[in-house]
Amino acid sequence: MRAHRARIEPSDVGLTGGGDRRVAGLRREEVAVLAGVSIDYYTRLEQGRERHPSAQVLDAIGQALRLNPDARGHIFRLAGLNPKLRVPRPRDQVHPELLGLLDSFPSSAAYVLSPAFDVLAANPAASALLSPFSGMTNMVRILFRHPQARTVFAEWPTLVANVVHALRLNAGSYPDDPEITALIDEFSQTSPEFATLWQDQTVGGLTRLFKVFIHPEAGRIELTYQTFDVRDAPGQQLLVGTPAPGTRSADALAYLGSLHATAAS
């Protein structure tokens, strides 16, 4: 709440910006007025001293802070107003029908992610696209650890921000997942870029993403990704990256997939 408060200018919500402002964004009392709660109550809530806010109060504060749907859901879960979701065990099992669905996207790169962003399954095009990272199957580790990540992912800063914000969303949804906790602990201590993004407190799911790959075998490939929740395996997500029809990216992805299919046969 404090991080989001700091991002909002008084003029954004119809307030004047005068006075001595020692911190960026809105004052606590301004958020309290906008949400219709007392300044004392809002202060206790922001500082973690108020443990049982009502749904109505959180909704009002979410509107005052202009939280997006993912961020609103996150503060509800932090307040214990939504049931804690549990990752099913075994967490890495992908249903056979979902595996079959992956192969129904021959001209797209499709893969399944775990809540901790492990690649659980991939179709031939996705496997070929991720081939520069052979030996690594976790997208957080690939992005922050693999030496080719900043070369292959042409828009690396945007992509890592999206992934870290989505990891925070998953951490709120699955607070007892040991793999998520281990990733956060490790990279918060060893990666300054991750730590900065994590401390930003931004929450956002993987929805529609535009990715540009510079693949060592196929060159530049531009894909638009759509993300789908796997309803019968909570926490798993299906990502499908599709090139625009008739473009060089479509030809390059097809070439890459056939090249790796031949090598695997």
Side-chain angles (χ1 to χ4, degrees), residues 107-141:
S107 60
S108 300
Y111 55 95
V112 178
L113 289 179
S114 76
F117 296 106
D118 291 313
V119 179
L120 304 180
N123 71 355
S127 296
L129 198 60
L130 297 175
S131 61
F133 313 117
S134 178
M136 281 192 180
T137 58
N138 181 273
M139 291 306 301
V140 177
R141 294 189 183 282

Short mmCIF file of all heavy atoms in Angstrom, two decimals, residues 107-141:
data_model
loop_
_atom_site.label_atom_id
_atom_site.label_comp_id
_atom_site.label_asym_id
_atom_site.label_seq_id
_atom_site.Cartn_x
_atom_site.Cartn_y
_atom_site.Cartn_z
N SER A 107 2.12 -23.74 -35.54
CA SER A 107 2.77 -22.50 -36.00
C SER A 107 3.00 -21.52 -34.86
O SER A 107 3.32 -20.35 -35.09
CB SER A 107 1.90 -21.83 -37.08
OG SER A 107 0.62 -21.52 -36.57
N SER A 108 2.85 -21.98 -33.61
CA SER A 108 3.05 -21.14 -32.44
C SER A 108 3.99 -21.82 -31.46
O SER A 108 4.15 -23.05 -31.48
CB SER A 108 1.71 -20.84 -31.75
OG SER A 108 0.81 -20.17 -32.60
N ALA A 109 4.61 -21.03 -30.61
CA ALA A 109 5.44 -21.55 -29.53
C ALA A 109 4.58 -21.64 -28.28
O ALA A 109 4.14 -20.62 -27.75
CB ALA A 109 6.65 -20.66 -29.29
N ALA A 110 4.30 -22.86 -27.80
CA ALA A 110 3.40 -23.05 -26.67
C ALA A 110 4.10 -23.85 -25.58
O ALA A 110 4.77 -24.84 -25.87
CB ALA A 110 2.13 -23.77 -27.11
N TYR A 111 3.94 -23.40 -24.34
CA TYR A 111 4.53 -24.15 -23.23
C TYR A 111 3.73 -23.91 -21.97
O TYR A 111 2.92 -22.98 -21.89
CB TYR A 111 6.01 -23.79 -23.03
CG TYR A 111 6.31 -22.33 -22.82
CD1 TYR A 111 6.42 -21.79 -21.55
CD2 TYR A 111 6.53 -21.49 -23.90
CE1 TYR A 111 6.72 -20.46 -21.35
CE2 TYR A 111 6.83 -20.15 -23.72
CZ TYR A 111 6.92 -19.64 -22.44
OH TYR A 111 7.21 -18.30 -22.26
N VAL A 112 3.96 -24.78 -20.97
CA VAL A 112 3.24 -24.72 -19.70
C VAL A 112 4.22 -24.34 -18.60
O VAL A 112 5.31 -24.93 -18.50
CB VAL A 112 2.58 -26.07 -19.37
CG1 VAL A 112 1.86 -26.00 -18.01
CG2 VAL A 112 1.59 -26.47 -20.46
N LEU A 113 3.84 -23.36 -17.79
CA LEU A 113 4.66 -22.91 -16.67
C LEU A 113 4.05 -23.33 -15.34
O LEU A 113 2.82 -23.35 -15.19
CB LEU A 113 4.80 -21.38 -16.67
CG LEU A 113 5.65 -20.73 -17.75
CD1 LEU A 113 5.64 -19.22 -17.56
CD2 LEU A 113 7.08 -21.26 -17.73
N SER A 114 4.91 -23.63 -14.37
CA SER A 114 4.48 -23.86 -12.99
C SER A 114 4.33 -22.51 -12.29
O SER A 114 4.74 -21.47 -12.82
CB SER A 114 5.51 -24.71 -12.26
OG SER A 114 6.65 -23.93 -11.93
N PRO A 115 3.78 -22.49 -11.07
CA PRO A 115 3.69 -21.22 -10.34
C PRO A 115 5.04 -20.56 -10.09
O PRO A 115 5.12 -19.34 -9.93
CB PRO A 115 3.02 -21.62 -9.02
CG PRO A 115 2.25 -22.85 -9.35
CD PRO A 115 3.07 -23.57 -10.37
N ALA A 116 6.12 -21.35 -10.05
CA ALA A 116 7.46 -20.81 -9.86
C ALA A 116 8.18 -20.61 -11.19
O ALA A 116 9.38 -20.39 -11.22
CB ALA A 116 8.29 -21.73 -8.97
N PHE A 117 7.43 -20.69 -12.29
CA PHE A 117 7.93 -20.42 -13.64
C PHE A 117 8.93 -21.46 -14.15
O PHE A 117 9.84 -21.14 -14.92
CB PHE A 117 8.50 -19.01 -13.76
CG PHE A 117 7.46 -17.94 -13.55
CD1 PHE A 117 7.43 -17.21 -12.39
CD2 PHE A 117 6.49 -17.72 -14.51
CE1 PHE A 117 6.43 -16.25 -12.18
CE2 PHE A 117 5.50 -16.76 -14.32
CZ PHE A 117 5.48 -16.04 -13.16
N ASP A 118 8.73 -22.72 -13.72
CA ASP A 118 9.42 -23.82 -14.37
C ASP A 118 8.68 -24.18 -15.65
O ASP A 118 7.44 -24.23 -15.67
CB ASP A 118 9.44 -25.06 -13.45
CG ASP A 118 10.31 -24.86 -12.23
OD1 ASP A 118 11.44 -24.38 -12.40
OD2 ASP A 118 9.86 -25.20 -11.12
N VAL A 119 9.41 -24.43 -16.73
CA VAL A 119 8.80 -24.89 -17.98
C VAL A 119 8.52 -26.38 -17.82
O VAL A 119 9.43 -27.21 -17.81
CB VAL A 119 9.72 -24.63 -19.19
CG1 VAL A 119 9.05 -25.14 -20.46
CG2 VAL A 119 10.03 -23.14 -19.31
N LEU A 120 7.25 -26.73 -17.66
CA LEU A 120 6.85 -28.12 -17.40
C LEU A 120 6.69 -28.92 -18.68
O LEU A 120 6.89 -30.14 -18.68
CB LEU A 120 5.54 -28.15 -16.61
CG LEU A 120 5.53 -27.39 -15.29
CD1 LEU A 120 4.17 -27.52 -14.62
CD2 LEU A 120 6.63 -27.90 -14.36
N ALA A 121 6.32 -28.26 -19.76
CA ALA A 121 6.13 -28.93 -21.05
C ALA A 121 6.17 -27.88 -22.14
O ALA A 121 5.82 -26.72 -21.90
CB ALA A 121 4.80 -29.69 -21.08
N ALA A 122 6.60 -28.29 -23.33
CA ALA A 122 6.70 -27.35 -24.46
C ALA A 122 6.50 -28.10 -25.76
O ALA A 122 6.88 -29.27 -25.88
CB ALA A 122 8.06 -26.65 -24.45
N ASN A 123 5.90 -27.42 -26.74
CA ASN A 123 5.78 -28.03 -28.06
C ASN A 123 7.11 -27.84 -28.82
O ASN A 123 8.02 -27.14 -28.34
CB ASN A 123 4.57 -27.48 -28.82
CG ASN A 123 4.75 -26.04 -29.27
OD1 ASN A 123 5.73 -25.37 -28.96
ND2 ASN A 123 3.76 -25.53 -29.99
N PRO A 124 7.27 -28.47 -29.98
CA PRO A 124 8.56 -28.39 -30.68
C PRO A 124 9.02 -26.96 -30.98
O PRO A 124 10.21 -26.65 -30.84
CB PRO A 124 8.29 -29.17 -31.97
CG PRO A 124 7.24 -30.17 -31.59
CD PRO A 124 6.36 -29.44 -30.62
N ALA A 125 8.10 -26.08 -31.36
CA ALA A 125 8.50 -24.70 -31.67
C ALA A 125 9.03 -23.99 -30.44
O ALA A 125 10.05 -23.28 -30.49
CB ALA A 125 7.32 -23.93 -32.26
N ALA A 126 8.36 -24.17 -29.29
CA ALA A 126 8.83 -23.53 -28.05
C ALA A 126 10.15 -24.11 -27.60
O ALA A 126 11.04 -23.38 -27.15
CB ALA A 126 7.77 -23.68 -26.96
N SER A 127 10.29 -25.44 -27.71
CA SER A 127 11.56 -26.07 -27.33
C SER A 127 12.71 -25.53 -28.18
O SER A 127 13.80 -25.27 -27.67
CB SER A 127 11.45 -27.59 -27.48
OG SER A 127 10.49 -28.13 -26.59
N ALA A 128 12.45 -25.38 -29.48
CA ALA A 128 13.48 -24.85 -30.38
C ALA A 128 13.80 -23.40 -30.03
O ALA A 128 14.97 -22.98 -30.04
CB ALA A 128 13.01 -24.96 -31.82
N LEU A 129 12.77 -22.62 -29.70
CA LEU A 129 12.96 -21.21 -29.39
C LEU A 129 13.80 -21.04 -28.12
O LEU A 129 14.60 -20.11 -28.01
CB LEU A 129 11.60 -20.53 -29.22
CG LEU A 129 11.54 -19.01 -29.30
CD1 LEU A 129 12.03 -18.51 -30.66
CD2 LEU A 129 10.10 -18.54 -29.07
N LEU A 130 13.63 -21.96 -27.17
CA LEU A 130 14.35 -21.88 -25.90
C LEU A 130 15.63 -22.69 -25.91
O LEU A 130 16.29 -22.82 -24.87
CB LEU A 130 13.44 -22.36 -24.76
CG LEU A 130 12.16 -21.54 -24.51
CD1 LEU A 130 11.30 -22.20 -23.44
CD2 LEU A 130 12.50 -20.11 -24.11
N SER A 131 16.00 -23.22 -27.07
CA SER A 131 17.19 -24.07 -27.15
C SER A 131 18.49 -23.39 -26.73
O SER A 131 19.40 -24.08 -26.24
CB SER A 131 17.34 -24.64 -28.57
OG SER A 131 17.49 -23.61 -29.53
N PRO A 132 18.66 -22.07 -26.89
CA PRO A 132 19.90 -21.45 -26.40
C PRO A 132 20.11 -21.60 -24.90
O PRO A 132 21.23 -21.42 -24.40
CB PRO A 132 19.74 -19.98 -26.78
CG PRO A 132 18.79 -19.98 -27.92
CD PRO A 132 17.83 -21.09 -27.61
N PHE A 133 19.03 -21.95 -24.16
CA PHE A 133 19.12 -22.06 -22.71
C PHE A 133 19.10 -23.52 -22.26
O PHE A 133 18.68 -23.83 -21.14
CB PHE A 133 17.97 -21.30 -22.06
CG PHE A 133 17.77 -19.92 -22.62
CD1 PHE A 133 16.58 -19.59 -23.27
CD2 PHE A 133 18.77 -18.97 -22.54
CE1 PHE A 133 16.40 -18.32 -23.80
CE2 PHE A 133 18.60 -17.70 -23.06
CZ PHE A 133 17.41 -17.37 -23.70
N SER A 134 19.55 -24.42 -23.11
CA SER A 134 19.56 -25.84 -22.80
C SER A 134 20.23 -26.08 -21.45
O SER A 134 21.32 -25.57 -21.17
CB SER A 134 20.32 -26.60 -23.89
OG SER A 134 20.37 -27.98 -23.58
N GLY A 135 19.55 -26.88 -20.62
CA GLY A 135 20.07 -27.14 -19.29
C GLY A 135 19.37 -26.34 -18.21
O GLY A 135 19.48 -26.67 -17.02
N MET A 136 18.66 -25.28 -18.58
CA MET A 136 17.88 -24.48 -17.64
C MET A 136 16.42 -24.57 -18.02
O MET A 136 16.07 -24.41 -19.20
CB MET A 136 18.33 -23.01 -17.64
CG MET A 136 19.58 -22.72 -16.87
SD MET A 136 19.81 -20.91 -16.66
CE MET A 136 21.35 -20.90 -15.74
N THR A 137 15.56 -24.80 -17.05
CA THR A 137 14.13 -24.91 -17.33
C THR A 137 13.29 -23.93 -16.53
O THR A 137 12.06 -23.93 -16.66
CB THR A 137 13.63 -26.35 -17.03
OG1 THR A 137 13.90 -26.66 -15.65
CG2 THR A 137 14.32 -27.36 -17.94
N ASN A 138 13.92 -23.12 -15.70
CA ASN A 138 13.17 -22.13 -14.92
C ASN A 138 13.37 -20.76 -15.55
O ASN A 138 14.50 -20.31 -15.74
CB ASN A 138 13.64 -22.12 -13.47
CG ASN A 138 12.86 -21.12 -12.62
OD1 ASN A 138 13.22 -19.95 -12.56
ND2 ASN A 138 11.79 -21.57 -12.01
N MET A 139 12.26 -20.08 -15.88
CA MET A 139 12.37 -18.82 -16.60
C MET A 139 13.01 -17.71 -15.77
O MET A 139 13.69 -16.83 -16.31
CB MET A 139 10.98 -18.37 -17.08
CG MET A 139 10.39 -19.24 -18.18
SD MET A 139 11.49 -19.44 -19.62
CE MET A 139 11.71 -17.74 -20.14
N VAL A 140 12.82 -17.72 -14.45
CA VAL A 140 13.48 -16.71 -13.62
C VAL A 140 14.99 -16.92 -13.68
O VAL A 140 15.77 -15.96 -13.84
CB VAL A 140 12.96 -16.78 -12.17
CG1 VAL A 140 13.71 -15.77 -11.29
CG2 VAL A 140 11.46 -16.51 -12.11
N ARG A 141 15.43 -18.17 -13.56
CA ARG A 141 16.86 -18.45 -13.61
C ARG A 141 17.43 -18.13 -14.99
O ARG A 141 18.55 -17.60 -15.11
CB ARG A 141 17.12 -19.92 -13.27
CG ARG A 141 16.77 -20.28 -11.85
CD ARG A 141 17.23 -21.68 -11.48
NE ARG A 141 16.81 -21.98 -10.13
CZ ARG A 141 17.43 -21.54 -9.03
NH1 ARG A 141 18.49 -20.77 -9.17
NH2 ARG A 141 16.98 -21.84 -7.83
#
